Every structure is written in structure tokens, then in C-alpha cells.
């Protein structure tokens, strides 16, 4: 099954409760930004960004058929 950006955005909105985490996931999964660029935008370290993305990707992937 192929997921469009709008469907990915819907899944993020439905399953990720933190607004900060939703923003970070959209920047990575939809906009394709690097961890470094997201870390600059969010004023966080790249390691923090990676951890947030990995944790929330697990949540999203567990919800996929």
C-alpha cells in the first residue's frame, strides 16, 4: 500500500499526541528534512530529534495494516 503525504499527515495527527512530535515527524517524513536541519529549526540536538522520530515511527508503524 502506498501512502500519500496527506495520508501520512492524517496518521500523524491521529496517533501522535504531542504537537512538538507531530511537527518533527512532518518535517522528516513529509518535507524530507535532515535531522540536523530539524534540530536547528526546533532548537534541539540532532540526537534528540532522532530519538523522537524513532520512538514515534514505531507508534505509527504499529498502526499500519
Amino acid at each position: 500500500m502506498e501512502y500519500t503525504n496527506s495520508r501520512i499527515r492524517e496518521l500523524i495527527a491521529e496517533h501522535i499526541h504531542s504537537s512538538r512530535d507531530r511537527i518533527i515527524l512532518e518535517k522528516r517524513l513529509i518535507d524530507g528534512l535532515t535531522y540536523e536541519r530539524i534540530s536547528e529549526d526546533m532548537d534541539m540536538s540532532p540526537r534528540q530529534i532522532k530519538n523522537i522520530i524513532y520512538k514515534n515511527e514505531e507508534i505509527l508503524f504499529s498502526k499500519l495494516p
Side-chain angles (χ1 to χ4, degrees), residues 1-2 4 8-9 11-12 15-16 24 33 35 37 39 45 50 52 56 58-60:
M1 175 181 252
E2 187 174 322
T4 62
I8 293 169
R9 191 172 274 116
L11 289 168
I12 290 171
H15 298 292
I16 306 303
I24 290 170
L33 297 181
Y35 299 123
R37 174 62 195 272
S39 71
S45 75
K50 286 179 186 179
I52 290 167
N56 287 291
E58 283 186 23
I59 293 168
L60 285 180

Side-chain angles (χ1 to χ4, degrees), residues 2 4 6 16 25-27 42 48 54 56 60 64:
E2 187 174 322
T4 62
S6 61
I16 306 303
L25 278 175
E26 287 183 5
K27 286 177 179 281
M42 301 300 290
Q48 288 173 299
Y54 291 152
N56 287 291
L60 285 180
L64 298 179

Side-chain angles (χ1 to χ4, degrees), residues 22-44:
R22 284 194 303 268
I23 291 167
I24 290 170
L25 278 175
E26 287 183 5
K27 286 177 179 281
R28 180 67 178 162
L29 298 178
I30 296 171
D31 301 334
L33 297 181
T34 63
Y35 299 123
E36 291 76 15
R37 174 62 195 272
I38 298 169
S39 71
E40 291 170 7
D41 291 350
M42 301 300 290
D43 196 29
M44 300 170 77

